[in-house]
Amino acid sequence: MLRSEPRFDPKRKRVDYKKTQFANASYKDQDYPYRLSFYDVPPTQEISLEEFEVWAIDRLRILAEIESCSFRNKSPQETAAHLEPLLKKYLPLSSNSSAAGGIVDERLRKERRKDHYSHFILRLAFSGTEDLRRRFARVETMLFRLRFQADDSRERRAFVESLNLNWEVVQDDEKRELGEQLLAATPGLRRLEEENWFKVDWTRVPELVEHRTVLVKKGKAYVPMREQTSMVLTEFSNRLDKALELTSRALPRLDEDDRLTPILDHLSKNFATPDAAFSDSDSSLAGAPINAANIDTLSQHFPLCMKHLHTTLRKNNHLKHFGRLQYSLFLKGIGLSLEDCLIFWRQSFKTITDDQFNKEYRYNVRHVYGDVGGDANRRGRGYAPYSCQKILTEHPPGTGEAHGCPYRHFSVDNLTSMLQATGVHDRDVLRGVKEDVEKKRFHIACNRVFEWAHKAEIKKVKDEGIWGPAELETIVHPNTYFKRSYLLKNLGNLPKQDVRMEE
Ligand code: SF4
């Protein structure tokens, strides 16, 4: 579950765009008459740094889920169903008709303000490179499409009219005059009365022209009304592409702002691999037998990174420093107590004496748990278990080291062998993993394997309404993988209330 935490410093000042690099922007209270937006006008109101970061992170969760649905070839209907509760939670955007008398009230204004600002903040964060711009424009267009299709039809029409897209509606005389040609150019249409058309410069609908689904005459394309959605989407994405180009040119000026740059860097890094902070609820598994003697059994629920550490430890009776660190933190995260963790490591290092263990390893394990040491351990809780992002991007393993993420740090052949050794023989899954890895979607490959290995259980919790889509968000933390796997595989053994994934 994506659970990125804001890193704002509440003591810092509020961002006042009027006084900083947006000095030319005029302050304007937006009244947001429509639910949807093409985001043509940048926001100029003052917001706090906290809002700046939290709103951006909330939007990022949505975009990451949309991208993950598309990577996993979910149909538009499946994507919409998966996103619905997440959108409600992180980025609600209600229609005017949901307010009393259809009047845009404070609740709607708040939702629209958050949507507006978060879009522009992420625009800043993702305009730095061609790849980020392309991905951002793609997922934003998908988000827009979801909302456009779900919009109240009356409000959608009013919104489209407000865009002034220069679409000239073809009048009845012309329609009759071009009758045969219009019918011939519109696939599936039998009678002229069943459709209406509008004219635009043909260069604005290159795809329709290419697929020969519109009549082109004197430089104008005659587009059937049913193509309106695709026209609006093309317009949205074209405008966004241009805006991102412009933003990227203005970016260097932002370097001077030492409050925003670190936040924007963090956000763009998060887009590559979503980050997730560990929360205590990740380790709360009511009644689960989490102890030193049970780690071998529990390892069936571990993600591949931790399975690899576990099997390497069993094979060599030893793990190198970063492996011990990554694994100890994970074990702490699943709820293993410090005492049991010490027992686990002591028993695992079979070839050394008690004395050597006490001298060389005991302190480090206690440090991980915050039992000794200062710095990050000051609060007495030790370091947080590593997220996928941290494992994927920091300290790549060297020769003889077993930490890291197999999806990223193994060759495709070794990865395939390891997956097969852990029981993954399905050819489609292995092919999908290979494609994911080639496209550097490492955590998507991991989620693909998880979904395959828990297919029946996921279907059950969905069908019986035990878990909602929010509890099946893309996994971006090894401890979420463990907890989800444990709960799913123990559906029949646990009381219903204990099977819920908590926030
Ligand atoms: Fe572990 Fe995350 Fe890699 Fe999966 S994607 S193997 S959970 S680091």
Side-chain angles (χ1 to χ4, degrees):
M1 196 171 303
L2 189 66
R3 203 177 289 111
S4 250
E5 279 181 348
R7 300 159 305 102
F8 61 86
D9 176 354
K11 289 193 204 104
R12 304 195 75 166
K13 287 185 197 150
R14 291 165 75 80
V15 180
D16 184 352
Y17 293 116
K18 289 171 286 175
K19 294 185 190 138
T20 58
Q21 61 267 43
F22 300 104
N24 293 333
S26 55
Y27 177 81
K28 192 174 169 231
D29 236 343
Q30 304 254 358
D31 48 7
Y32 302 117
Y34 307 103
R35 170 179 179 258
L36 298 166
S37 169
F38 261 28
Y39 308 106
D40 287 330
V41 183
T44 51
Q45 271 181 281
E46 192 177 314
I47 60 166
S48 69
L49 264 187
E50 178 182 358
E51 286 168 329
F52 186 91
E53 187 162 20
V54 172
W55 290 356
I57 287 172
D58 282 351
R59 191 179 197 91
L60 190 53
R61 289 170 199 262
I62 297 295
L63 298 187
E65 279 304 319
I66 291 179
E67 192 170 55
S68 146
C69 284
S70 107
F71 287 163
R72 282 184 270 163
N73 297 328
K74 284 197 192 283
S75 67
Q77 292 76 10
E78 286 169 334
T79 305
H82 181 72
L83 263 293
E84 197 193 328
L86 301 176
L87 281 166
K88 256 192 208 140
K89 186 168 172 189
Y90 297 117
L91 209 56
L93 198 60
S94 313
S95 60
N96 292 1
S97 54
S98 72
I103 311 249
V104 179
D105 58 14
E106 196 42 36
R107 174 179 64 92
L108 297 195
R109 251 192 299 279
K110 263 192 190 160
E111 289 179 0
R112 292 171 191 189
R113 195 159 164 251
K114 178 176 176 183
D115 178 62
H116 185 205
Y117 276 73
S118 61
H119 169 89
F120 273 92
I121 298 166
L122 293 191
R123 216 188 247 195
L124 278 180
F126 302 141
S127 57
T129 68
E130 166 101 43
D131 179 50
L132 282 175
R133 286 197 292 275
R134 194 175 35 74
R135 284 177 59 198
F136 178 67
R138 183 168 167 268
V139 282
E140 275 287 335
T141 307
M142 289 166 83
L143 173 61
F144 182 84
R145 185 202 282 134
L146 265 179
R147 289 166 158 179
F148 188 77
Q149 287 171 336
D151 206 10
D152 174 290
S153 60
R154 213 155 28 96
E155 288 177 37
R156 180 169 54 200
R157 197 174 329 122
F159 167 70
V160 173
E161 279 167 17
S162 78
L163 294 171
N164 294 323
L165 293 173
N166 281 331
W167 295 351
E168 191 186 333
V169 175
V170 176
Q171 300 302 323
D172 286 346
D173 293 353
E174 192 178 3
K175 193 170 142 182
R176 271 194 300 276
E177 197 183 307
L178 296 173
E180 285 302 311
Q181 295 174 61
L182 286 172
L183 276 178
T186 314
L189 189 69
R190 295 216 189 102
R191 295 172 54 230
L192 215 52
E193 300 74 46
E194 288 169 7
E195 185 58 282
N196 285 308
W197 283 262
F198 51 88
K199 316 190 249 196
V200 290
D201 290 339
W202 75 267
T203 47
R204 289 179 61 190
V205 286
E207 278 178 28
L208 297 179
V209 174
E210 190 188 329
H211 293 122
R212 296 173 189 272
T213 49
V214 284
L215 171 68
V216 181
K217 228 172 158 46
K218 295 184 186 162
K220 296 280 181 196
Y222 288 71
V223 184
M225 282 294 176
R226 69 170 91 149
E227 296 291 350
Q228 192 193 50
T229 302
S230 100
M231 289 276 305
V232 173
L233 290 174
T234 308
E235 188 71 25
F236 178 87
S237 121
N238 288 347
R239 287 193 197 185
L240 183 53
D241 286 343
K242 281 188 200 134
L244 283 166
E245 276 289 334
L246 286 175
T247 313
S248 74
R249 279 183 236 154
L251 267 188
R253 283 199 283 153
L254 258 188
D255 283 349
E256 294 154 22
D257 196 322
D258 70 341
R259 297 161 308 166
L260 303 189
T261 314
I263 299 178
L264 295 174
D265 283 350
H266 178 70
L267 289 168
S268 64
K269 200 171 158 203
N270 249 338
F271 198 31
T273 316
D275 198 8
F278 179 80
S279 92
D280 288 340
S281 67
D282 286 326
S283 63
S284 59
L285 272 173
I290 311 279
N291 54 51
N294 218 15
I295 300 297
D296 284 325
T297 312
L298 292 171
S299 68
Q300 63 182 299
H301 304 295
F302 290 0
L304 213 54
C305 51
M306 303 303 165
K307 269 190 184 144
H308 179 52
L309 284 166
H310 189 73
T311 44
T312 309
L313 176 64
R314 287 288 174 253
K315 192 166 120 220
N316 299 346
N317 301 314
H318 188 261
L319 279 180
K320 291 198 173 182
H321 172 74
F322 282 120
R324 292 199 304 275
L325 188 57
Q326 182 176 315
Y327 199 27
S328 297
L329 286 167
F330 171 78
L331 292 175
K332 180 176 81 160
I334 71 170
L336 190 70
S337 68
L338 170 59
E339 293 68 33
D340 268 308
C341 197
L342 284 165
I343 295 170
F344 170 74
W345 284 113
R346 176 64 204 101
Q347 290 174 343
S348 300
F349 287 2
K350 292 197 174 92
T351 54
I352 62 169
T353 62
D354 279 349
D355 197 32
Q356 195 181 352
F357 180 80
N358 289 339
K359 267 195 208 138
E360 292 176 26
Y361 301 106
R362 178 174 284 272
Y363 183 89
N364 278 349
V365 179
R366 290 178 60 204
H367 193 258
V368 160
Y369 275 74
D371 197 42
V372 288
D375 311 333
N377 274 348
R378 239 177 273 132
R379 281 176 299 157
R381 303 174 62 196
Y383 298 100
Y386 290 166
S387 66
C388 295
Q389 187 191 71
K390 198 168 170 67
I391 295 173
L392 283 161
T393 56
E394 294 178 15
H395 299 300
T399 317
E401 291 183 310
H403 66 278
C405 169
Y407 294 100
R408 163 138 207 193
H409 299 119
F410 277 26
S411 67
V412 172
D413 287 347
N414 285 349
L415 175 63
T416 309
S417 308
M418 185 178 179
L419 284 169
Q420 285 168 335
T422 55
V424 184
H425 295 290
D426 186 291
R427 280 194 188 174
D428 288 343
V429 174
L430 292 172
R431 198 180 318 120
V433 165
K434 190 165 173 267
E435 277 171 27
D436 290 334
V437 168
E438 279 164 3
K439 291 184 176 150
K440 302 195 184 317
R441 308 168 191 157
F442 307 111
H443 71 292
I444 298 290
C446 184
N447 277 270
R448 188 185 291 281
V449 170
F450 181 90
E451 282 175 15
W452 173 81
H454 301 82
K455 198 151 85 196
E457 295 82 8
I458 290 174
K459 184 171 180 322
K460 188 173 162 64
V461 289
K462 270 189 187 169
D463 289 353
E464 295 182 12
I466 304 171
W467 284 6
E471 289 166 298
L472 288 164
E473 272 181 62
T474 307
I475 295 171
V476 287
H477 199 296
N479 286 89
T480 311
Y481 188 112
F482 168 77
K483 183 171 179 182
R484 217 178 270 185
S485 172
Y486 182 88
L487 291 177
L488 287 174
K489 291 292 179 189
N490 284 283
L491 280 178
N493 310 327
L494 296 169
K496 218 167 184 176
Q497 69 274 13
D498 290 342
V499 182
R500 298 298 307 262
M501 289 287 295
E502 292 158 55
E503 280 301 292

